[in-house]
Amino acid sequence: MEIFFDTLSKSVLFSNISESEIKKMLVCLKASYRKYSKGGMMIWEGDKVSEVGILLYGTARSLKNDIDGKTIIVTMIEPSNFIGILLACSQKRKSPVSVQASQEAYAVFFPIEIIIEGCSKRCNCHKILMKNLLAGIAEKAMVLHDRNDCLIKSSVREKIMTYLLTVSKDQGSKKISIPLDRSSMAEYLNVERSSLSRELSKMKRDGLINYKKNYFVIF
Amino acid sequence: MEIFFDTLSKSVLFSNISESEIKKMLVCLKASYRKYSKGGMMIWEGDKVSEVGILLYGTARSLKNDIDGKTIIVTMIEPSNFIGILLACSQKRKSPVSVQASQEAYAVFFPIEIIIEGCSKRCNCHKILMKNLLAGIAEKAMVLHDRNDCLIKSSVREKIMTYLLTVSKDQGSKKISIPLDRSSMAEYLNVERSSLSRELSKMKRDGLINYKKNYFVIF
DNA sequence: CAAAAAATGTTGCTTAGGCAACATACCTCC
DNA sequence: GGAGGTATGTTGCCTAAGCAACATTTTTTG
């Protein structure tokens, strides 16, 4: 698993920890490495999750079955992202999503208890680890918060504007490039792609914004 | 502030910590107590927040100004609830909401750094504190997740069903009592109260659910 | 218990936006 | 360059659900 070491050290969980420290920690964290073939399941809907994972290679996605059976994708997971951090931290709760490898993938898992409780050796990096874990969840929560913020708006226009303003605050400019194409943006805002396009046109016409591809200017 | 000690010890932050320990900790946590009159602001939209608070008395609400200026209420905060936990933990971010006392209120704030870094005395309760903080955020994140789950549904019926099923899982029964009245439920699901009532009737008629007041049965 | 107030339900009207179908622009690779 | 593919934009039609106004039920309180 050495080859994925870089990915691991880029993760939020191990930020601000030196490579040599990480290597030491991997042992006391009871790291367990797992390989998945395309379509393999890392977490099943309904599981109780007591490990937090980090994707090392490949991509994964979290998905759930809608009431009427169709599958919807909740998030995309990239190398060095967390897997199941929310679940692992909130414990009691059963997973509302499944996590599936979208291609061949490798991941490493750590029992959450060891991160929280610290190992018997009490290496002082555990404090940093814990801090990183906290930052990781806070970040997840913020992502959820931001989407909520868009979703609670009643009109398509307000949803778009809220989204653009959030990105704008984030990038500290009224000229922004967004990370989503129209389809993804529509999905994120929970509107029809065509309705999104329609409203974007109107907003441009009304002099609220300008845009080309994924570059936007807010007036 | 002694009189609010009970409230404090009921908070998630201090769960599993004995009263005597809490008293000791309050000192090294650099607790700062604040009083607010009705309408007083605990956090202003745009603030950077570096303290996590706990409401001791009264009620507060987090609110934000909509794009077109009208104020919307995001959450209600009750005694022993956290104030600004997400913000304090994710740090860099400026607050997207203001927090306002809806009546005369008391609160206590702790610099988040001290909780995370531990105080100089290294009292061993800090580990528990940190664990509690983690649980607190994870819980917040879950709340956000659950609402998202409802909001991303396209029809009123699906939103209702998703909400009811989540509560049902939570209470471990198909017969549930929900904590929201119709208006709040409508607000939570981001639909019109009348549309909610209409759809509930239809769902009853269609034999999907039964209900009376805030008691629901899912078939 | 009666009256007032609050919560919930009902219903006609209207419209934003979902849906489908097609148009245009943009990319890429032979 | 052109052929195929993908991303984006446009438009007519139609329905779900917003809105307003009123009805009924439940709760409060004097």
Side-chain angles (χ1 to χ4, degrees), chain A residues 140-187:
Chain A
K140 279 264 182 207
M142 273 300 174
V143 170
L144 288 168
H145 177 278
D146 286 343
R147 187 162 182 208
N148 252 259
D149 222 39
C150 294
L151 292 176
I152 58 172
K153 300 294 151 61
S154 42
S155 67
V156 173
R157 178 172 295 207
E158 282 177 300
K159 286 181 202 211
I160 295 171
M161 213 53 194
T162 304
Y163 173 65
L164 292 179
L165 286 174
T166 303
V167 177
S168 165
K169 264 184 205 163
D170 216 56
Q171 299 186 7
S173 164
K174 295 273 179 187
K175 299 182 177 196
I176 57 179
S177 81
I178 66 171
L180 305 173
D181 63 21
R182 294 289 180 281
S183 297
S184 315
M185 187 174 169
E187 200 180 316

Side-chain angles (χ1 to χ4, degrees), chain B residues 194-209:
Chain B
S194 67
S195 305
L196 172 61
S197 270
R198 168 164 42 198
E199 196 60 34
L200 282 172
S201 302
K202 285 189 195 167
M203 290 170 78
K204 185 190 274 184
R205 198 193 56 203
D206 293 352
L208 275 171
I209 59 172

Side-chain angles (χ1 to χ4, degrees), chain A residues 32-139:
Chain A
S32 105
Y33 298 92
R34 293 172 204 157
K35 180 187 173 180
Y36 299 89
S37 39
K38 182 177 172 170
M41 289 307 212
M42 301 181 177
I43 295 174
W44 286 95
E45 199 169 333
D47 277 3
K48 282 208 180 184
V49 176
S50 57
E51 298 171 317
V52 61
I54 292 170
L55 188 65
L56 297 175
Y57 174 82
T59 56
R61 55 192 177 196
S62 64
L63 31 90
K64 61 179 358 182
N65 288 324
D66 217 337
I67 301 169
D68 44 323
K70 64 182 171 186
T71 301
I72 51 173
I73 295 168
V74 182
T75 40
M76 295 299 304
I77 300 170
E78 315 251 299
S80 89
N81 286 176
F82 282 113
I83 300 166
I85 181 175
L86 232 73
L87 283 164
C89 292
S90 86
Q91 291 174 318
K92 52 184 179 224
R93 191 80 83 95
K94 285 182 186 171
S95 178
V97 296
S98 297
V99 178
Q100 183 183 45
S102 13
Q103 6 167 324
E104 186 178 74
Y106 291 83
V108 58
F109 290 83
F110 309 103
I112 191 80
E113 276 307 300
I114 297 189
I115 300 181
I116 293 176
E117 298 293 343
C119 72
S120 49
K121 289 185 210 137
R122 313 216 147 276
C123 6
N124 97 347
C125 285
H126 272 124
K127 206 172 74 184
I128 303 181
L129 209 64
M130 190 70 185
K131 194 174 162 178
N132 289 342
L133 190 65
L134 199 68
I137 302 194
E139 179 50 32

Side-chain angles (χ1 to χ4, degrees), chain A residues 64 66-68 72 86-87 89-90 92-93 96-97 113 116-117 122 127 130-131 133-135 137-139 141-149 151-154 158 161-162 165 170 190, chain B residues 64 66-68 72 86-87 89-90 92-93 96-97 113 116-117 122 127 130-131 133-135 137-139 141-149 151-154 158 161-162 165 170 190:
Chain A
K64 61 179 358 182
D66 217 337
I67 301 169
D68 44 323
I72 51 173
L86 232 73
L87 283 164
C89 292
S90 86
K92 52 184 179 224
R93 191 80 83 95
V97 296
E113 276 307 300
I116 293 176
E117 298 293 343
R122 313 216 147 276
K127 206 172 74 184
M130 190 70 185
K131 194 174 162 178
L133 190 65
L134 199 68
I137 302 194
E139 179 50 32
M142 273 300 174
V143 170
L144 288 168
H145 177 278
D146 286 343
R147 187 162 182 208
N148 252 259
D149 222 39
L151 292 176
I152 58 172
K153 300 294 151 61
S154 42
E158 282 177 300
M161 213 53 194
T162 304
L165 286 174
D170 216 56
N190 206 34
Chain B
K64 61 180 357 183
D66 217 336
I67 301 169
D68 44 322
I72 51 173
L86 232 72
L87 283 165
C89 292
S90 85
K92 53 186 177 222
R93 192 79 84 93
V97 296
E113 276 308 300
I116 293 177
E117 298 293 342
R122 316 215 145 275
K127 205 172 76 184
M130 190 72 183
K131 193 174 163 179
L133 191 64
L134 199 68
I137 302 196
E139 179 49 32
M142 274 299 174
V143 169
L144 288 168
H145 177 277
D146 285 344
R147 187 163 182 206
N148 252 259
D149 223 37
L151 292 177
I152 59 172
K153 299 295 151 59
S154 43
E158 281 176 300
M161 214 52 193
T162 304
L165 286 174
D170 216 56
N190 206 34

